[in-house]
Amino acid sequence: MSYRQARYDEPLIFELLGGNDFCPVCDDKVRIPEEMVRQDLCLPDIPEREVVRHYINLSQMNFGVDNGMYPLGSCTMKYNPKYADLLSSLSTVTSVHPYQDEESVQGALQLMRDLEKALCIISGMDAVTLQPAAGAHGEFTGMLIAKAYHAANNQQRDEVIVPDSAHGTNPASAAMAGFTVIEVPSGPDGCIDLEAVKAALSERTAAVMVTNPNTLGLFEKDIADLARLVHSYGALLYYDGANLNAIMGITTPGAMHFDIVHFNLHKTFATPHGGGGPGAGPVGVRMYLEPYLPVPRIISEDGKYRFDYDRKESIGKVRSLYGNFGVLVRAYAYILEQGGDGLKDVSQRAVLNSNYLKSRVVPTYEMPFAQLRKHEFVISAKKLAKEKGVHATDIAKGLLDKGFMTPTIYFPSLVEEALMIEPTETESKETLDRYAQALIDIASADPEQLRTAPHNTAISRVDEVYAAKELILSWRIYQRKKGPGSP
Amino acid sequence: MVLDRRMLEALGIDDVDQLFSDVPDEVRIDGLPLPTGKSEMEVIIKVRDMLAQNTTVEQVPSFLGGGIYNHFIPSAVKAIAGRSEFLTSYTPYQAEISQGMLQALFEYQSMMSELTAMDVVNSSNYDGATALGEAATMCHRISPKSAFMVPSAMNWEKRSVLKNYIDGVGMSVIEYCYDPYTGGMDMDDVRSKMTSDVCGIYAEVPNLFGIIDPNVTKLKKEFPEVPLVVGVNPLSLALVRPPGEYGADIVIGEGQPLGISMSFGGPLLGIFACRSEHVRKMPGRLIGMTKDHDGRRAFCMTLQTREQHIRRSKATSNICSNEALMAVTASAYLGIVGAKGLRSLARLNMKNAKLLMDRLDPLDGFMAPMFDGAHFNEFVVRTPLHPVKLNKLLLRHGIIGGMPMHTHVPRMTEHMLMTATELTTMKDIDKLVIALQEVTQ
């Protein structure tokens, strides 16, 4: 199947012309201190119709899961069911103010409490907070909890250990919480090297952050030993939930002896990612860490739900209000629809799809480390790069030309020319076959054609160097810099 | 759903469990003890019925604000933000196939830069409170000192979030007082607390009391070396002088008033802007204008070397997922209302707040406003009953009252923040006045 994306020379909204037709108009005088009065405001004044056409044209130059397969590794871009959109757009969601009296928001509180309980079951944890706005925000919350826990036990622990295969957010979140980050190399099998972790552990270790399955798609087989080791040093074991889609109903972070977990509702629980967000990153903990969770907690008494702010050991708040409620509604509906049986089925199908697709593209592409994968796998374009000068980027751009989103590329860094593929459970065998064929065709395609790809997208290959050099980050800057040869 | 046998056969296995042979028995569980799955129809009915227990501001008048506002959202905004090409896409790492989102985000950055009169705006933080936290640590990167000055009268949630964000870099907070008459900053208190250890000062316009405080324009003049962070309500900037014109280094704010539903407090939109000279110290994603290899205008993510996926523990922030769709929503909103519409809406907000104020002040036991500064769309009113109790009584009359102040400013035990927007009608105000007369008798 050939692919061609819309290619409009859509002007910037500032460059559109026409009169503003928005009502109402109000010219009444209002009281503003003289030195605080605004003189001019440069925003476009154009008719609604033109604004709508502008954005519809832009949307047609964008690619989402609803356009086609989106196997970005570690991002779990599965199909987003439409009933979830419908429910999150009900006025009983959108038109509720967060500071309303608890009596008037019982439905919202019940939904959040029920979602907390479901996430406890899915993760094997004892308590969950829904407050964090994203996965990395959940990690940060988890690190603050670890810090509070050790401080309450009069322990001076200022180090966090992460494997070199971890997502970049792990070390960044730990550092933001004030920890010194120690990265340990993976073992020769791509899994955590227990000896390396042991060498890094000490009475200064606050936590060890682990993703399981890891970013190579490998299940950390020594996880129980690792947990015992980490706990023997009095440190906590943190579970990065980015890859939870692989294990639901098979194991839980709780069964693997993790102490803190974050979930990415926009990955595992099918809430759409909106071009970068909103997501939601709830955090689950064991009972002994529950006192440190952010406020408020939701409690039910006599059939009524209420917020509890009176929690002395709580870390306080990590954002305003209670979480990305619109996202929570979607995830709750998804969990209801799937049920316990359905979620296990999701993981089984995700892992089957991944292993099937892997079997189709290996050995055309090399795959370092063991063969059995969970929900994602990482192949390498090292051979193609060496023999034909075709790099992971070129393969990615070639896939775009065939109407597919690319894998995650150049990550994890322990694989050269990495292509990290996560098909998710929502793709059919037919689609996986087409994707596999696209990758196979690219391996034997004209290298020159690939190095100049893509050709069928809204623009040809983008000049990132120019962007970083010129730093045209707004219309305001563009107006100043504009000259002959400007875009 | 039944597994596709064809794939199992291709892999030469007959049971999918063989693909999980690497999961040790020791950590295995036997399924999830959740109810079994439901049909779409059952799910919609169940969730809809559960949510129907909520009272909405469409059903009853509301006078709540305090950071989240009930504004009118033009229908076209929802139509645009609901486009599934935007909704179901990921972060635009692959620029060539994601030009729509990239250009929409560039336009968001551009419109927000016009509103704030700042050069650079990132493509979103989670909300206003986390944007404040990130602004404080960015001040520390600009000026590596340890104290950050904030108003004592600030939403307590922001204070709590700020503390969590600055603890990690060993910063602390110094609070300056408000003037008990104007409700603005007490400049003498600011001067007396300013030390060489201060790496940034934060002020809000409008502030917690809804006041447009002209003192904020003095800060950069008096303390030119201290990075200035200003928190804004973006709607007010239609009429109020933008922080870029009085020397702000960083501007943050809650973008929810720009066409984003309240949704019980999320998703929201953290606005984060700064001066060009600080751009490399800034958190969050940036979209830049560039060219493609054929010389056509194009957009891509830029300065990614600040970010966690490249810089890891040395990144300017851990932020990855942000609120991109909310940023697109805000720019669609600004596109539809335009400069003229935004100014009209801001005037309507101020006008309605003044009407509300004038009706509450004469009531027995009430005093509105508490402060004599100029107000935007909300103000503090003194109430004859404890505000929490008053709100419960009002709710029985089918009215959602204002925000009690004591959780934010402990000594304000008989004070409530009352808010009006363009959606507040004379009928709503009449109903409130009658109910207040009844419940306070």
Side-chain angles (χ1 to χ4, degrees):
Chain A
M1 195 180 82
S2 64
Y3 172 76
R4 204 163 290 279
Q5 192 178 35
R7 176 178 286 207
Y8 306 120
D9 290 318
E10 184 62 31
L12 283 169
I13 195 164
F14 289 85
E15 295 164 333
L16 296 174
L17 301 171
N20 186 331
D21 58 359
F22 180 75
C23 296
V25 174
C26 175
D27 289 320
D28 295 17
K29 267 189 88 70
V30 289
R31 178 189 166 211
I32 297 173
E34 201 183 335
E35 62 270 53
M36 292 301 281
V37 173
R38 179 168 200 141
Q39 300 306 331
D40 49 51
L41 176 60
C42 169
L43 285 178
D45 274 310
I46 42 180
E48 175 181 312
R49 175 193 69 247
E50 294 306 317
V51 177
V52 170
R53 286 175 179 163
H54 173 70
Y55 280 103
I56 298 309
N57 286 350
L58 290 185
S59 74
Q60 290 178 350
M61 293 191 286
N62 210 56
F63 190 91
V65 174
D66 283 2
N67 294 92
M69 184 167 160
Y70 216 117
L72 269 180
S74 263
C75 301
T76 316
M77 290 293 282
K78 56 173 85 176
Y79 173 72
N80 311 123
K82 303 305 170 195
Y83 59 79
D85 292 344
L86 175 110
L87 290 168
S88 74
S89 65
L90 294 176
S91 70
T92 48
V93 174
T94 58
S95 296
V96 179
H97 193 290
Y99 289 144
Q100 282 178 219
D101 191 282
E102 288 150 348
E103 225 177 284
S104 69
V105 293
Q106 286 295 304
L109 296 183
Q110 185 185 348
L111 186 145
M112 290 171 75
R113 185 70 193 107
D114 282 4
L115 177 58
E116 285 180 6
K117 286 183 190 164
L119 292 176
C120 280
I121 289 171
I122 293 164
S123 62
M125 292 289 128
D126 297 313
V128 164
T129 174
L130 303 173
Q131 198 172 111
H137 202 214
E139 295 170 14
F140 177 58
T141 306
M143 289 298 103
L144 292 175
I145 291 167
K147 194 159 87 169
Y149 167 76
H150 290 307
N153 290 298
N154 295 313
Q155 301 254 336
Q156 302 287 327
R157 291 174 179 262
D158 56 359
E159 292 177 354
V160 166
I161 297 171
V162 298
D164 60 356
S165 62
H167 301 113
T169 49
N170 288 184
S173 301
M176 260 174 72
F179 291 110
T180 301
V181 177
I182 299 173
E183 294 212 16
V184 293
S186 303
D189 58 354
C191 288
I192 285 177
D193 181 346
L194 282 184
E195 288 308 312
V197 174
K198 195 170 176 183
L201 276 165
S202 72
E203 72 286 349
R204 293 179 63 183
T205 310
V208 179
M209 299 178 88
V210 173
T211 310
N212 194 20
N214 66 23
T215 57
L216 290 165
L218 296 167
F219 193 86
E220 295 284 359
K221 56 190 187 320
D222 298 328
I223 192 64
D225 290 336
L226 177 75
R228 281 186 281 269
L229 180 63
V230 169
H231 290 147
S232 74
Y233 280 83
L236 298 172
L237 192 57
Y238 182 93
Y239 184 85
D240 177 332
N243 293 347
L244 186 66
N245 207 46
I247 59 158
M248 287 185 292
I250 311 290
T251 177
T252 64
M256 294 186 271
H257 312 290
F258 282 87
D259 303 287
I260 312 175
V261 178
H262 87 257
F263 306 81
N264 300 80
L265 298 188
H266 47 286
K267 295 181 181 180
T268 315
F269 301 99
T271 74
H273 202 253
V283 168
V285 295
R286 301 277 196 171
M287 197 49 93
Y288 44 87
L289 297 173
E290 195 260 356
Y292 309 103
L293 288 175
V295 283
R297 303 288 302 140
I298 301 166
I299 52 180
S300 62
E301 282 170 346
D302 313 322
K304 288 275 180 199
Y305 295 86
R306 69 172 182 87
F307 284 128
D308 179 13
Y309 284 93
D310 186 18
R311 299 173 66 85
K312 293 187 176 46
E313 292 180 282
S314 164
I315 60 167
K317 296 195 68 77
V318 293
R319 55 160 289 167
S320 54
L321 307 161
Y322 326 114
N324 279 346
F325 184 67
V327 177
L328 304 179
V329 170
R330 286 182 160 101
Y332 178 68
Y334 176 77
I335 291 170
L336 276 186
E337 203 251 5
Q338 295 293 335
D341 49 339
L343 290 174
K344 182 171 182 179
D345 197 49
V346 159
S347 290
Q348 288 178 333
R349 281 185 287 130
V351 171
L352 176 59
N353 278 2
S354 157
N355 280 282
Y356 174 73
L357 184 56
K358 180 205 76 185
S359 76
R360 292 287 322 267
V361 300
V362 176
T364 306
Y365 293 85
E366 298 164 272
M367 193 180 73
F369 308 115
Q371 293 300 299
L372 183 57
R373 295 298 156 128
K374 294 279 89 51
H375 65 303
E376 67 189 5
F377 60 99
V378 180
I379 52 176
S380 169
K382 200 167 111 188
K383 205 169 79 189
L384 272 174
K386 210 166 125 194
E387 289 170 4
K388 298 167 82 174
V390 170
H391 295 270
T393 304
D394 306 318
I395 295 165
K397 303 304 180 191
L399 282 165
L400 298 181
D401 269 344
K402 295 172 186 290
F404 289 116
M405 183 45 76
T406 67
T408 295
I409 52 176
Y410 301 110
F411 183 81
S413 54
L414 65 165
V415 174
E416 251 181 272
E417 297 286 342
L419 295 153
M420 183 194 211
I421 306 178
E422 180 181 9
T424 83
E425 74 283 1
T426 59
E427 300 301 336
S428 66
K429 177 179 178 294
E430 285 71 20
T431 307
L432 299 179
D433 283 336
R434 287 198 297 116
Y435 201 84
Q437 197 56 50
L439 275 168
I440 291 164
D441 290 348
I442 285 170
S444 58
D446 170 19
E448 196 43 42
Q449 181 78 5
L450 285 173
R451 278 192 291 271
T452 55
H455 306 277
N456 303 337
T457 48
I459 55 164
S460 62
R461 200 174 291 198
V462 74
D463 188 345
E464 291 182 356
V465 176
Y466 182 93
K469 192 172 124 253
E470 294 298 322
L471 290 183
I472 304 171
L473 303 172
S474 61
W475 172 250
R476 184 171 276 250
I477 295 175
Y478 178 62
Q479 293 296 97
R480 278 204 304 265
K481 291 200 169 178
K482 196 163 61 171
S486 287
Chain B
M1 202 172 145
V2 184
L3 289 164
D4 192 327
R5 300 291 317 171
R6 296 172 301 170
M7 288 195 276
L8 288 173
E9 280 161 23
L11 290 170
I13 57 175
D14 45 38
D15 186 349
V16 71
D17 208 42
Q18 289 172 258
L19 297 176
F20 293 89
S21 59
D22 50 355
V23 179
D25 287 343
E26 188 185 356
V27 301
R28 278 186 175 249
I29 58 164
D30 186 22
L32 295 169
L34 287 168
T36 52
K38 293 182 168 45
S39 70
E40 173 180 346
M41 186 174 79
E42 291 169 309
V43 170
I44 288 177
I45 292 169
K46 182 178 160 91
V47 178
R48 193 184 59 199
D49 288 355
M50 184 184 289
L51 290 167
Q53 300 169 76
N54 293 341
T55 303
T56 74
V57 299
E58 290 175 3
Q59 293 162 333
V60 301
S62 160
F63 299 91
L64 275 174
I68 306 294
Y69 301 92
N70 179 30
H71 288 297
F72 177 71
I73 302 174
S75 311
V77 173
K78 293 191 176 177
I80 290 166
R83 284 293 291 195
S84 75
E85 298 91 331
F86 291 140
L87 180 67
T88 72
S89 63
Y90 200 77
T91 303
Y93 291 119
Q94 294 297 334
E96 296 84 1
I97 205 165
S98 312
Q99 282 299 294
M101 195 67 191
L102 286 162
Q103 182 172 337
L105 291 173
F106 178 85
E107 291 178 353
Y108 162 78
Q109 293 174 183
S110 297
M111 291 202 230
M112 218 47 89
S113 114
E114 294 301 332
L115 259 185
T116 56
M118 302 294 281
D119 279 332
V120 184
V121 179
N122 75 13
S123 70
S124 69
N125 275 68
Y126 308 133
D127 68 350
T130 55
L132 172 60
E134 298 259 29
T137 52
M138 181 169 156
C139 284
H140 183 71
R141 291 192 287 275
I142 294 172
S143 172
K145 300 168 186 175
S146 67
F148 189 67
M149 284 182 88
V150 300
S152 62
M154 181 163 82
N155 186 308
W156 81 269
E157 302 196 23
K158 278 188 204 163
R159 205 154 50 218
S160 180
V161 173
L162 176 63
K163 184 180 175 299
N164 276 325
Y165 271 75
I166 65 176
D167 259 6
V169 288
M171 290 169 71
S172 60
V173 152
I174 297 174
E175 294 186 351
Y176 60 83
C177 301
Y178 59 90
D179 181 309
Y181 299 102
T182 64
M185 330 171 58
D186 178 342
M187 285 304 292
D188 288 335
D189 196 47
V190 172
R191 287 176 197 118
S192 73
K193 287 175 177 163
M194 182 61 74
T195 66
S196 59
D197 205 28
V198 172
C199 70
I201 180 163
Y202 175 63
E204 295 183 333
V205 188
N207 67 13
L208 177 67
F209 307 139
I211 286 165
I212 303 163
D213 179 10
N215 280 320
V216 71
T217 60
K218 295 178 187 161
L219 292 171
K220 203 63 191 181
K221 287 182 199 147
E222 293 196 29
F223 314 106
E225 302 303 319
V226 180
L228 170 62
V229 182
V230 180
V232 296
N233 174 340
L235 176 60
S236 73
L237 291 179
L239 302 173
V240 173
R241 198 170 162 207
E245 289 183 11
Y246 49 86
D249 291 276
I250 299 172
V251 177
I252 58 127
E254 176 49 64
Q256 183 272 335
L258 302 178
I260 297 167
S261 303
M262 299 190 292
S263 295
F264 199 46
L268 302 174
L269 169 64
I271 299 169
F272 198 108
C274 73
R275 300 161 69 90
S276 279
E277 68 211 69
H278 303 313
V279 66
R280 283 166 211 278
K281 298 191 168 72
M282 184 182 206
R285 254 173 226 137
L286 289 167
I287 313 302
M289 186 192 282
T290 183
K291 306 170 180 184
D292 72 1
H293 280 196
D294 302 316
R296 301 167 73 228
R297 182 190 279 176
F299 301 88
C300 67
M301 288 161 52
T302 193
L303 289 185
Q304 293 187 57
T305 48
R306 298 166 300 115
E307 294 187 61
Q308 47 74 29
H309 61 285
I310 311 260
R311 196 63 73 81
R312 299 177 76 88
S313 65
K314 302 278 186 288
T316 56
S317 169
N318 69 337
I319 193 166
C320 184
S321 284
N322 54 18
E323 306 295 316
L325 193 70
M326 303 297 117
V328 174
T329 307
S331 33
Y333 175 84
L334 289 172
I336 285 163
V337 303
K340 207 173 85 186
L342 199 71
R343 289 174 81 99
S344 290
L345 286 165
R347 277 194 202 97
L348 273 173
N349 273 257
M350 292 183 76
K351 186 179 147 188
N352 287 345
K354 181 77 172 72
L355 281 172
L356 178 62
M357 197 186 287
D358 291 346
R359 293 289 301 281
L360 293 182
D361 191 43
L363 298 178
D364 271 354
F366 287 83
M367 181 175 154
M370 279 297 294
F371 302 105
D372 63 10
H375 291 81
F376 183 58
N377 65 351
E378 49 197 356
F379 56 89
V380 177
V381 52
R382 198 183 64 209
T383 57
L385 293 178
H386 190 278
V388 174
K389 190 174 170 201
L390 185 59
N391 275 344
K392 289 204 183 287
L393 295 169
L394 284 175
L395 196 57
R396 277 176 220 163
H397 283 72
I399 294 169
I400 295 170
M403 179 180 81
M405 289 297 292
H406 66 278
T407 48
H408 310 293
V409 184
R411 80 171 89 142
M412 291 189 150
T413 50
E414 290 172 338
H415 302 80
M416 189 181 246
L417 187 75
M418 293 295 275
T419 305
T421 70
E422 72 282 2
L423 286 170
T424 308
T425 63
M426 284 309 290
K427 210 173 112 198
D428 296 341
I429 297 177
D430 288 341
K431 188 173 171 181
L432 173 71
V433 167
I434 292 167
L436 283 176
Q437 281 167 334
E438 277 180 36
V439 302
T440 58
Q441 253 168 23

